[in-house]
Amino acid sequence: MKKYYNISTFLIFGVFSILTTFYFPYLNQEVGLSLSEVGRVVSVGALFTIVAQPILSNIFTKVKNKNKFIILYLFGVLISIVGLMFINKDLAIIYAPIYGAMLASVAGIFEIYIEELSIKSKIEFSDVRKWGSIGYACVVFLSGLILNKFGFRILHIIAIIIICTMIFIISTKFKDDIVIKEEKDHPKFINLFKNKNIVLLMIVIFLGVGSYMGLDFAYSSYLVDLVKDVEKANQIYSFSISLRVVVEFFSFLVVSKYLINANSKKCLTIALVVAAIKVLLLSTGNIALVVLGDQLHGIMYGFYLSFLFKYLREIISSELVATSFSVLSVLSSGGANFIYPSIYSYIQGGYGYFGMYIFVFISIVIATIIFIVFLPSKKKVID
């Protein structure tokens, strides 16, 4: 069974790489939107991701058969990809909510699903999730080659084929008996905001991880600013992104092999510290240190994602884990992409890239202090 979990994780993150990495150039180059129009479309999509992903996750926690839910969701993703293939300049802004709700949520929803399956099958989550990193890297690399020769339409067709393969694997190879016992009273979404630990964790993730993830939009332009050569900067960017995904794979591998029983809070603290070090290295303006710093993302993300699930299971009831993770995921990605880029653009305009990176470093330090001082490290009894 584990091999099918690995294969499906590899495939779904391959699809996710097509839907995210090539979404911006698709809107700009194929659909014909200007950069400002692309920004508006992306912002609308991010807003709907913020709303939809927690709702989908909350529904996921309530349904009895998780496999059926995911299959239905993947059918929705398939239909959404077909729609993406036929949008034009007028329909792009109308389609943005569908993209944000269905396509941008793919990774977050599937991570919750795989974590649930891993728990039920007594498999280490990070041992499965590492294949998503490799899937992402492989498909991004191959898609770049395919795009140059055949265009965006073929990429979307490949994504559809992969989704169909995923549906086949889940419907024929996954165990049908992986279900959740029906609870008399399902926890309500509002319960999250009544839990002090979750509220504090939301603040930590938004300030620490969200500010950190929100920097990604500036990395390519920062490299161009440093090397003063667009072609060379793009080569460095491609190398750096590909290498850090490989580092991410080995980070998940190390966690699954040697850190299964490690203290979750300490490991999340390590993730925040590594994020802060990465930002400091980026702020130096030295191209070697900048690329080295970017590789630290692989270490940070392997620790962060592996131990966030574990930590949530230690401080809240299991029924709230999926929805909590989804909200935190949105705060670190969709929410961050909706809010932080405009703030960073303003800071960069006034104080340069150095000022922007120092601002993020300070934000991560504040988040780390809040996490260490105010959040528990041992399992609490949930009433």
Side-chain angles (χ1 to χ4, degrees), residues 69-174:
F69 174 87
I70 289 297
I71 289 172
L72 287 173
Y73 173 68
L74 289 177
F75 270 116
V77 170
L78 191 154
I79 294 170
S80 299
I81 295 173
V82 173
L84 181 63
M85 294 171 65
F86 297 101
I87 63 172
N88 55 36
K89 293 182 71 172
D90 296 324
L91 294 176
I93 194 71
I94 298 173
Y95 177 83
I98 299 174
Y99 176 88
M102 294 299 297
L103 302 184
S105 300
V106 165
I109 297 300
F110 201 80
E111 280 170 342
I112 293 169
Y113 177 53
I114 284 296
E115 197 268 347
E116 189 77 57
L117 296 181
S118 299
I119 293 292
K120 297 295 177 183
S121 303
K122 295 180 172 54
I123 300 171
E124 182 64 27
F125 167 73
S126 56
D127 203 23
V128 177
R129 176 57 179 79
K130 67 187 180 186
W131 292 104
S133 301
I134 294 299
Y136 192 101
C138 290
V139 175
V140 162
F141 175 74
L142 293 174
S143 295
L145 299 177
I146 293 169
L147 179 61
N148 289 333
K149 289 189 175 183
F150 303 105
F152 289 99
R153 182 62 57 88
I154 296 299
L155 288 187
H156 294 146
I157 292 174
I158 290 172
I160 289 171
I161 292 172
I162 294 176
I163 291 295
C164 291
T165 305
M166 285 282 304
I167 293 172
F168 174 78
I169 291 174
I170 294 173
S171 59
T172 60
K173 302 298 183 181
F174 280 29

Side-chain angles (χ1 to χ4, degrees), residues 321-334:
V321 169
T323 306
S324 299
F325 175 81
S326 181
V327 171
L328 296 174
S329 178
V330 163
L331 290 174
S332 67
S333 56

